[in-house]
mmCIF file of all heavy atoms in Angstrom:
data_model
loop_
_atom_site.group_PDB
_atom_site.id
_atom_site.type_symbol
_atom_site.label_atom_id
_atom_site.label_comp_id
_atom_site.label_asym_id
_atom_site.label_seq_id
_atom_site.Cartn_x
_atom_site.Cartn_y
_atom_site.Cartn_z
ATOM 1 N N LYS K 271 92.768 110.576 67.419
ATOM 2 C CA LYS K 271 93.060 111.715 68.281
ATOM 3 C C LYS K 271 92.634 111.380 69.702
ATOM 4 O O LYS K 271 91.645 110.689 69.929
ATOM 5 C CB LYS K 271 92.323 112.963 67.793
ATOM 6 C CG LYS K 271 92.716 113.421 66.394
ATOM 7 C CD LYS K 271 91.935 114.657 65.973
ATOM 8 C CE LYS K 271 92.339 115.112 64.574
ATOM 9 N NZ LYS K 271 91.580 116.317 64.136
ATOM 10 N N VAL K 272 93.366 111.907 70.647
ATOM 11 C CA VAL K 272 93.076 111.589 72.042
ATOM 12 C C VAL K 272 91.679 112.046 72.439
ATOM 13 O O VAL K 272 91.033 111.435 73.303
ATOM 14 C CB VAL K 272 94.161 112.212 72.956
ATOM 15 C CG1 VAL K 272 94.052 113.741 72.982
ATOM 16 C CG2 VAL K 272 94.077 111.635 74.355
ATOM 17 N N GLU K 273 91.174 113.098 71.791
ATOM 18 C CA GLU K 273 89.833 113.601 72.118
ATOM 19 C C GLU K 273 88.733 112.594 71.762
ATOM 20 O O GLU K 273 87.607 112.691 72.243
ATOM 21 C CB GLU K 273 89.571 114.923 71.380
ATOM 22 C CG GLU K 273 90.392 116.104 71.884
ATOM 23 C CD GLU K 273 91.797 116.137 71.313
ATOM 24 O OE1 GLU K 273 92.116 115.302 70.431
ATOM 25 O OE2 GLU K 273 92.592 116.997 71.756
ATOM 26 N N GLU K 274 89.048 111.634 70.893
ATOM 27 C CA GLU K 274 88.057 110.618 70.499
ATOM 28 C C GLU K 274 87.833 109.564 71.576
ATOM 29 O O GLU K 274 86.820 108.850 71.559
ATOM 30 C CB GLU K 274 88.514 109.895 69.226
ATOM 31 C CG GLU K 274 88.597 110.737 67.987
ATOM 32 C CD GLU K 274 89.130 109.943 66.812
ATOM 33 O OE1 GLU K 274 89.264 108.699 66.923
ATOM 34 O OE2 GLU K 274 89.400 110.563 65.790
ATOM 35 N N LEU K 275 88.799 109.415 72.480
ATOM 36 C CA LEU K 275 88.778 108.272 73.403
ATOM 37 C C LEU K 275 87.479 108.149 74.215
ATOM 38 O O LEU K 275 86.917 107.048 74.300
ATOM 39 C CB LEU K 275 89.983 108.338 74.344
ATOM 40 C CG LEU K 275 91.260 107.649 73.844
ATOM 41 C CD1 LEU K 275 92.416 107.947 74.777
ATOM 42 C CD2 LEU K 275 91.050 106.141 73.723
ATOM 43 N N PRO K 276 86.964 109.214 74.842
ATOM 44 C CA PRO K 276 85.742 109.035 75.630
ATOM 45 C C PRO K 276 84.574 108.492 74.806
ATOM 46 O O PRO K 276 83.852 107.588 75.257
ATOM 47 C CB PRO K 276 85.455 110.443 76.167
ATOM 48 C CG PRO K 276 86.796 111.112 76.197
ATOM 49 C CD PRO K 276 87.516 110.583 74.991
ATOM 50 N N ILE K 277 84.395 109.026 73.599
ATOM 51 C CA ILE K 277 83.297 108.549 72.749
ATOM 52 C C ILE K 277 83.555 107.114 72.305
ATOM 53 O O ILE K 277 82.654 106.254 72.352
ATOM 54 C CB ILE K 277 83.127 109.471 71.519
ATOM 55 C CG1 ILE K 277 82.672 110.856 71.956
ATOM 56 C CG2 ILE K 277 82.142 108.873 70.526
ATOM 57 C CD1 ILE K 277 82.587 111.867 70.813
ATOM 58 N N ALA K 278 84.783 106.828 71.865
ATOM 59 C CA ALA K 278 85.097 105.498 71.356
ATOM 60 C C ALA K 278 84.924 104.435 72.434
ATOM 61 O O ALA K 278 84.375 103.348 72.168
ATOM 62 C CB ALA K 278 86.525 105.472 70.819
ATOM 63 N N LEU K 279 85.349 104.720 73.647
ATOM 64 C CA LEU K 279 85.245 103.736 74.726
ATOM 65 C C LEU K 279 83.804 103.509 75.145
ATOM 66 O O LEU K 279 83.363 102.364 75.332
ATOM 67 C CB LEU K 279 86.087 104.196 75.918
ATOM 68 C CG LEU K 279 87.606 104.107 75.703
ATOM 69 C CD1 LEU K 279 88.350 104.949 76.718
ATOM 70 C CD2 LEU K 279 88.062 102.649 75.762
ATOM 71 N N GLN K 280 83.037 104.585 75.288
ATOM 72 C CA GLN K 280 81.638 104.430 75.663
ATOM 73 C C GLN K 280 80.878 103.666 74.587
ATOM 74 O O GLN K 280 80.077 102.776 74.877
ATOM 75 C CB GLN K 280 81.002 105.801 75.888
ATOM 76 C CG GLN K 280 79.685 105.771 76.646
ATOM 77 C CD GLN K 280 78.460 105.575 75.783
ATOM 78 O OE1 GLN K 280 77.427 105.096 76.252
ATOM 79 N NE2 GLN K 280 78.537 105.944 74.516
ATOM 80 N N ARG K 281 81.173 103.985 73.324
ATOM 81 C CA ARG K 281 80.496 103.303 72.225
ATOM 82 C C ARG K 281 80.865 101.822 72.193
ATOM 83 O O ARG K 281 80.020 100.953 71.951
ATOM 84 C CB ARG K 281 80.851 103.961 70.893
ATOM 85 C CG ARG K 281 80.082 103.368 69.715
ATOM 86 C CD ARG K 281 80.523 103.990 68.393
ATOM 87 N NE ARG K 281 80.248 105.421 68.349
ATOM 88 C CZ ARG K 281 80.636 106.213 67.366
ATOM 89 N NH1 ARG K 281 81.324 105.706 66.330
ATOM 90 N NH2 ARG K 281 80.349 107.502 67.374
ATOM 91 N N ALA K 282 82.133 101.527 72.428
ATOM 92 C CA ALA K 282 82.583 100.133 72.385
ATOM 93 C C ALA K 282 81.836 99.288 73.416
ATOM 94 O O ALA K 282 81.336 98.203 73.100
ATOM 95 C CB ALA K 282 84.089 100.069 72.633
ATOM 96 N N PHE K 283 81.755 99.752 74.648
ATOM 97 C CA PHE K 283 81.060 98.995 75.685
ATOM 98 C C PHE K 283 79.567 98.901 75.381
ATOM 99 O O PHE K 283 78.949 97.846 75.573
ATOM 100 C CB PHE K 283 81.285 99.644 77.053
ATOM 101 C CG PHE K 283 82.579 99.250 77.698
ATOM 102 C CD1 PHE K 283 83.773 99.872 77.349
ATOM 103 C CD2 PHE K 283 82.618 98.253 78.647
ATOM 104 C CE1 PHE K 283 84.976 99.510 77.938
ATOM 105 C CE2 PHE K 283 83.808 97.873 79.251
ATOM 106 C CZ PHE K 283 85.003 98.507 78.888
ATOM 107 N N LYS K 284 78.974 99.993 74.905
ATOM 108 C CA LYS K 284 77.550 99.988 74.587
ATOM 109 C C LYS K 284 77.234 98.982 73.481
ATOM 110 O O LYS K 284 76.298 98.175 73.594
ATOM 111 C CB LYS K 284 77.106 101.379 74.153
ATOM 112 C CG LYS K 284 75.626 101.490 73.799
ATOM 113 C CD LYS K 284 75.338 102.557 72.771
ATOM 114 C CE LYS K 284 75.915 102.207 71.417
ATOM 115 N NZ LYS K 284 75.359 102.993 70.301
ATOM 116 N N VAL K 285 78.020 99.002 72.407
ATOM 117 C CA VAL K 285 77.769 98.117 71.268
ATOM 118 C C VAL K 285 77.978 96.653 71.660
ATOM 119 O O VAL K 285 77.182 95.778 71.303
ATOM 120 C CB VAL K 285 78.677 98.507 70.085
ATOM 121 C CG1 VAL K 285 78.622 97.459 68.984
ATOM 122 C CG2 VAL K 285 78.259 99.858 69.531
ATOM 123 N N ALA K 286 79.051 96.373 72.390
ATOM 124 C CA ALA K 286 79.334 94.992 72.787
ATOM 125 C C ALA K 286 78.212 94.406 73.632
ATOM 126 O O ALA K 286 77.879 93.214 73.507
ATOM 127 C CB ALA K 286 80.654 94.930 73.546
ATOM 128 N N MET K 287 77.588 95.226 74.479
ATOM 129 C CA MET K 287 76.603 94.732 75.437
ATOM 130 C C MET K 287 75.167 94.799 74.929
ATOM 131 O O MET K 287 74.250 94.382 75.627
ATOM 132 C CB MET K 287 76.724 95.528 76.738
ATOM 133 C CG MET K 287 77.995 95.234 77.516
ATOM 134 S SD MET K 287 78.079 93.510 78.074
ATOM 135 C CE MET K 287 76.760 93.528 79.310
ATOM 136 N N THR K 288 74.950 95.300 73.725
ATOM 137 C CA THR K 288 73.605 95.378 73.171
ATOM 138 C C THR K 288 73.348 94.158 72.290
ATOM 139 O O THR K 288 74.150 93.832 71.422
ATOM 140 C CB THR K 288 73.432 96.663 72.336
ATOM 141 O OG1 THR K 288 73.701 97.799 73.170
ATOM 142 C CG2 THR K 288 72.020 96.779 71.803
ATOM 143 N N GLU K 289 72.207 93.483 72.513
ATOM 144 C CA GLU K 289 71.880 92.300 71.722
ATOM 145 C C GLU K 289 71.593 92.673 70.272
ATOM 146 O O GLU K 289 70.945 93.696 70.024
ATOM 147 C CB GLU K 289 70.657 91.582 72.322
ATOM 148 C CG GLU K 289 70.899 90.943 73.676
ATOM 149 C CD GLU K 289 71.750 89.680 73.605
ATOM 150 O OE1 GLU K 289 72.086 89.239 72.471
ATOM 151 O OE2 GLU K 289 72.085 89.137 74.665
ATOM 152 N N PRO K 290 72.032 91.794 69.352
ATOM 153 C CA PRO K 290 72.864 90.615 69.589
ATOM 154 C C PRO K 290 74.292 91.010 69.952
ATOM 155 O O PRO K 290 74.937 91.767 69.225
ATOM 156 C CB PRO K 290 72.818 89.873 68.250
ATOM 157 C CG PRO K 290 72.545 90.927 67.244
ATOM 158 C CD PRO K 290 71.683 91.945 67.922
ATOM 159 N N ARG K 291 74.751 90.506 71.093
ATOM 160 C CA ARG K 291 76.047 90.910 71.616
ATOM 161 C C ARG K 291 77.197 90.386 70.764
ATOM 162 O O ARG K 291 77.027 89.480 69.950
ATOM 163 C CB ARG K 291 76.206 90.416 73.053
ATOM 164 C CG ARG K 291 75.231 91.068 74.031
ATOM 165 C CD ARG K 291 75.456 90.572 75.434
ATOM 166 N NE ARG K 291 74.594 91.273 76.396
ATOM 167 C CZ ARG K 291 74.668 91.113 77.708
ATOM 168 N NH1 ARG K 291 75.537 90.272 78.224
ATOM 169 N NH2 ARG K 291 73.862 91.791 78.507
ATOM 170 N N GLY K 292 78.378 90.940 71.002
ATOM 171 C CA GLY K 292 79.543 90.465 70.272
ATOM 172 C C GLY K 292 80.769 91.306 70.555
ATOM 173 O O GLY K 292 80.712 92.316 71.258
ATOM 174 N N PRO K 293 81.918 90.912 69.980
ATOM 175 C CA PRO K 293 83.166 91.637 70.203
ATOM 176 C C PRO K 293 83.203 92.975 69.461
ATOM 177 O O PRO K 293 82.610 93.120 68.384
ATOM 178 C CB PRO K 293 84.238 90.684 69.636
ATOM 179 C CG PRO K 293 83.558 89.371 69.451
ATOM 180 C CD PRO K 293 82.123 89.679 69.216
ATOM 181 N N VAL K 294 83.925 93.925 70.033
ATOM 182 C CA VAL K 294 84.270 95.176 69.355
ATOM 183 C C VAL K 294 85.782 95.351 69.478
ATOM 184 O O VAL K 294 86.426 94.717 70.316
ATOM 185 C CB VAL K 294 83.535 96.395 69.948
ATOM 186 C CG1 VAL K 294 82.033 96.240 69.836
ATOM 187 C CG2 VAL K 294 83.933 96.608 71.409
ATOM 188 N N PHE K 295 86.348 96.233 68.637
ATOM 189 C CA PHE K 295 87.800 96.389 68.632
ATOM 190 C C PHE K 295 88.180 97.861 68.554
ATOM 191 O O PHE K 295 87.580 98.633 67.797
ATOM 192 C CB PHE K 295 88.413 95.661 67.434
ATOM 193 C CG PHE K 295 89.880 95.939 67.254
ATOM 194 C CD1 PHE K 295 90.814 95.353 68.082
ATOM 195 C CD2 PHE K 295 90.324 96.805 66.256
ATOM 196 C CE1 PHE K 295 92.173 95.618 67.931
ATOM 197 C CE2 PHE K 295 91.672 97.079 66.097
ATOM 198 C CZ PHE K 295 92.606 96.483 66.942
ATOM 199 N N LEU K 296 89.186 98.229 69.344
ATOM 200 C CA LEU K 296 89.771 99.566 69.289
ATOM 201 C C LEU K 296 91.283 99.453 69.120
ATOM 202 O O LEU K 296 91.950 98.759 69.903
ATOM 203 C CB LEU K 296 89.469 100.354 70.560
ATOM 204 C CG LEU K 296 88.018 100.773 70.807
ATOM 205 C CD1 LEU K 296 87.897 101.462 72.166
ATOM 206 C CD2 LEU K 296 87.515 101.680 69.693
ATOM 207 N N SER K 297 91.806 100.135 68.108
ATOM 208 C CA SER K 297 93.256 100.259 67.923
ATOM 209 C C SER K 297 93.716 101.531 68.624
ATOM 210 O O SER K 297 93.147 102.609 68.414
ATOM 211 C CB SER K 297 93.588 100.321 66.429
ATOM 212 O OG SER K 297 94.952 100.608 66.235
ATOM 213 N N LEU K 298 94.750 101.406 69.464
ATOM 214 C CA LEU K 298 95.179 102.509 70.317
ATOM 215 C C LEU K 298 96.633 102.880 70.012
ATOM 216 O O LEU K 298 97.575 102.290 70.573
ATOM 217 C CB LEU K 298 95.027 102.112 71.790
ATOM 218 C CG LEU K 298 93.619 101.655 72.217
ATOM 219 C CD1 LEU K 298 93.639 101.164 73.663
ATOM 220 C CD2 LEU K 298 92.613 102.783 72.047
ATOM 221 N N PRO K 299 96.872 103.856 69.137
ATOM 222 C CA PRO K 299 98.241 104.265 68.820
ATOM 223 C C PRO K 299 98.961 104.840 70.044
ATOM 224 O O PRO K 299 98.344 105.474 70.916
ATOM 225 C CB PRO K 299 98.045 105.344 67.750
ATOM 226 C CG PRO K 299 96.697 105.047 67.151
ATOM 227 C CD PRO K 299 95.878 104.526 68.285
ATOM 228 N N GLY K 300 100.263 104.623 70.087
ATOM 229 C CA GLY K 300 101.048 105.053 71.232
ATOM 230 C C GLY K 300 101.009 106.551 71.467
ATOM 231 O O GLY K 300 100.966 107.003 72.622
ATOM 232 N N ASP K 301 101.018 107.346 70.401
ATOM 233 C CA ASP K 301 101.006 108.796 70.596
ATOM 234 C C ASP K 301 99.679 109.263 71.178
ATOM 235 O O ASP K 301 99.634 110.196 71.982
ATOM 236 C CB ASP K 301 101.316 109.518 69.287
ATOM 237 C CG ASP K 301 100.405 109.094 68.146
ATOM 238 O OD1 ASP K 301 99.996 107.921 68.113
ATOM 239 O OD2 ASP K 301 100.108 109.941 67.270
ATOM 240 N N VAL K 302 98.590 108.607 70.796
ATOM 241 C CA VAL K 302 97.270 108.951 71.355
ATOM 242 C C VAL K 302 97.249 108.650 72.852
ATOM 243 O O VAL K 302 96.740 109.445 73.655
ATOM 244 C CB VAL K 302 96.161 108.186 70.626
ATOM 245 C CG1 VAL K 302 94.818 108.361 71.339
ATOM 246 C CG2 VAL K 302 96.050 108.658 69.180
ATOM 247 N N MET K 303 97.816 107.520 73.237
ATOM 248 C CA MET K 303 97.768 107.114 74.638
ATOM 249 C C MET K 303 98.631 108.001 75.534
ATOM 250 O O MET K 303 98.393 108.088 76.746
ATOM 251 C CB MET K 303 98.205 105.652 74.775
ATOM 252 C CG MET K 303 97.314 104.674 74.028
ATOM 253 S SD MET K 303 95.579 104.765 74.548
ATOM 254 C CE MET K 303 95.614 103.701 75.972
ATOM 255 N N MET K 304 99.620 108.662 74.961
ATOM 256 C CA MET K 304 100.509 109.494 75.763
ATOM 257 C C MET K 304 100.247 110.991 75.602
ATOM 258 O O MET K 304 100.957 111.806 76.177
ATOM 259 C CB MET K 304 101.967 109.176 75.414
ATOM 260 C CG MET K 304 102.407 107.768 75.807
ATOM 261 S SD MET K 304 102.124 107.382 77.563
ATOM 262 C CE MET K 304 103.350 108.443 78.336
ATOM 263 N N GLN K 305 99.221 111.366 74.847
ATOM 264 C CA GLN K 305 98.869 112.775 74.718
ATOM 265 C C GLN K 305 98.057 113.234 75.919
ATOM 266 O O GLN K 305 97.283 112.472 76.489
ATOM 267 C CB GLN K 305 98.037 113.007 73.443
ATOM 268 C CG GLN K 305 98.841 113.004 72.158
ATOM 269 C CD GLN K 305 97.951 113.166 70.935
ATOM 270 O OE1 GLN K 305 96.783 113.522 71.049
ATOM 271 N NE2 GLN K 305 98.496 112.888 69.757
ATOM 272 N N GLU K 306 98.234 114.500 76.278
ATOM 273 C CA GLU K 306 97.423 115.081 77.338
ATOM 274 C C GLU K 306 96.092 115.551 76.764
ATOM 275 O O GLU K 306 95.998 115.972 75.611
ATOM 276 C CB GLU K 306 98.153 116.258 77.978
ATOM 277 C CG GLU K 306 99.371 115.857 78.787
ATOM 278 C CD GLU K 306 99.961 117.032 79.556
ATOM 279 O OE1 GLU K 306 99.522 118.171 79.309
ATOM 280 O OE2 GLU K 306 100.853 116.806 80.387
ATOM 281 N N VAL K 307 95.048 115.461 77.587
ATOM 282 C CA VAL K 307 93.717 115.864 77.149
ATOM 283 C C VAL K 307 92.910 116.307 78.362
ATOM 284 O O VAL K 307 93.041 115.735 79.454
ATOM 285 C CB VAL K 307 92.998 114.719 76.403
ATOM 286 C CG1 VAL K 307 92.755 113.523 77.315
ATOM 287 C CG2 VAL K 307 91.689 115.190 75.786
ATOM 288 N N ASP K 308 92.098 117.315 78.172
ATOM 289 C CA ASP K 308 91.200 117.775 79.228
ATOM 290 C C ASP K 308 89.859 117.077 79.023
ATOM 291 O O ASP K 308 88.920 117.635 78.468
ATOM 292 C CB ASP K 308 91.032 119.293 79.159
ATOM 293 C CG ASP K 308 90.174 119.826 80.303
ATOM 294 O OD1 ASP K 308 89.934 119.058 81.257
ATOM 295 O OD2 ASP K 308 89.740 120.985 80.222
ATOM 296 N N ALA K 309 89.788 115.809 79.429
ATOM 297 C CA ALA K 309 88.589 115.004 79.191
ATOM 298 C C ALA K 309 88.505 113.914 80.246
ATOM 299 O O ALA K 309 89.488 113.614 80.933
ATOM 300 C CB ALA K 309 88.624 114.378 77.801
ATOM 301 N N LYS K 310 87.350 113.347 80.371
ATOM 302 C CA LYS K 310 87.147 112.215 81.263
ATOM 303 C C LYS K 310 86.168 111.251 80.600
ATOM 304 O O LYS K 310 85.474 111.613 79.640
ATOM 305 C CB LYS K 310 86.627 112.673 82.623
ATOM 306 C CG LYS K 310 85.293 113.403 82.577
ATOM 307 C CD LYS K 310 84.881 113.848 83.967
ATOM 308 C CE LYS K 310 83.525 114.562 83.941
ATOM 309 N NZ LYS K 310 83.117 115.001 85.300
ATOM 310 N N PRO K 311 86.083 110.008 81.091
ATOM 311 C CA PRO K 311 85.199 109.039 80.457
ATOM 312 C C PRO K 311 83.734 109.485 80.490
ATOM 313 O O PRO K 311 83.288 110.153 81.428
ATOM 314 C CB PRO K 311 85.395 107.777 81.290
ATOM 315 C CG PRO K 311 86.713 107.952 81.952
ATOM 316 C CD PRO K 311 86.853 109.422 82.190
ATOM 317 N N LEU K 312 82.998 109.098 79.453
ATOM 318 C CA LEU K 312 81.560 109.339 79.437
ATOM 319 C C LEU K 312 80.859 108.276 80.283
ATOM 320 O O LEU K 312 81.299 107.124 80.339
ATOM 321 C CB LEU K 312 81.027 109.255 78.001
ATOM 322 C CG LEU K 312 81.513 110.315 77.012
ATOM 323 C CD1 LEU K 312 80.987 109.990 75.622
ATOM 324 C CD2 LEU K 312 81.072 111.704 77.445
ATOM 325 N N PRO K 313 79.770 108.628 80.944
ATOM 326 C CA PRO K 313 78.978 107.596 81.619
ATOM 327 C C PRO K 313 78.503 106.562 80.604
ATOM 328 O O PRO K 313 78.200 106.902 79.459
ATOM 329 C CB PRO K 313 77.798 108.378 82.207
ATOM 330 C CG PRO K 313 78.269 109.795 82.260
ATOM 331 C CD PRO K 313 79.206 109.974 81.112
ATOM 332 N N LEU K 314 78.457 105.310 81.017
ATOM 333 C CA LEU K 314 78.074 104.231 80.106
ATOM 334 C C LEU K 314 76.563 104.218 79.898
ATOM 335 O O LEU K 314 75.789 104.268 80.854
ATOM 336 C CB LEU K 314 78.532 102.881 80.663
ATOM 337 C CG LEU K 314 78.238 101.660 79.795
ATOM 338 C CD1 LEU K 314 78.914 101.790 78.433
ATOM 339 C CD2 LEU K 314 78.694 100.386 80.495
ATOM 340 N N THR K 315 76.159 104.129 78.637
ATOM 341 C CA THR K 315 74.746 104.022 78.289
ATOM 342 C C THR K 315 74.338 102.551 78.231
ATOM 343 O O THR K 315 74.993 101.753 77.547
ATOM 344 C CB THR K 315 74.463 104.671 76.925
ATOM 345 O OG1 THR K 315 74.813 106.050 76.989
ATOM 346 C CG2 THR K 315 72.992 104.542 76.544
ATOM 347 N N THR K 316 73.292 102.194 78.931
ATOM 348 C CA THR K 316 72.754 100.833 78.896
ATOM 349 C C THR K 316 71.437 100.845 78.133
ATOM 350 O O THR K 316 70.529 101.619 78.453
ATOM 351 C CB THR K 316 72.526 100.290 80.317
ATOM 352 O OG1 THR K 316 73.777 100.287 81.017
ATOM 353 C CG2 THR K 316 71.964 98.879 80.269
ATOM 354 N N ILE K 317 71.332 99.999 77.141
ATOM 355 C CA ILE K 317 70.113 99.919 76.334
ATOM 356 C C ILE K 317 69.308 98.716 76.794
ATOM 357 O O ILE K 317 69.756 97.570 76.677
ATOM 358 C CB ILE K 317 70.453 99.814 74.839
ATOM 359 C CG1 ILE K 317 71.231 101.057 74.382
ATOM 360 C CG2 ILE K 317 69.189 99.637 73.995
ATOM 361 C CD1 ILE K 317 71.677 101.010 72.952
#
């Protein structure tokens, strides 16, 4: 769901950059990317 995007993106960057570091993956369906949503990105958490 498009409402998941802010959480999923913030989590992806946080997890990738926390030791031990590594790749993360997000699958982005076309309908999710083209849906309207009243949301904005979450500030990135640095651990």
Side-chain angles (χ1 to χ4, degrees):
K271 298 180 180 180
V272 69
E273 290 82 6
E274 295 177 9
L275 271 172
I277 294 175
L279 289 163
Q280 196 273 156
R281 185 183 297 174
F283 277 82
K284 180 209 68 164
V285 170
M287 290 297 291
T288 302
E289 292 287 355
R291 294 181 175 186
V294 300
F295 172 75
L296 292 176
S297 173
L298 304 175
D301 54 327
V302 171
M303 299 302 276
M304 294 306 290
Q305 284 177 13
E306 291 188 351
V307 64
D308 184 13
K310 60 182 181 180
L312 295 175
L314 182 60
T315 300
T316 300
I317 299 177

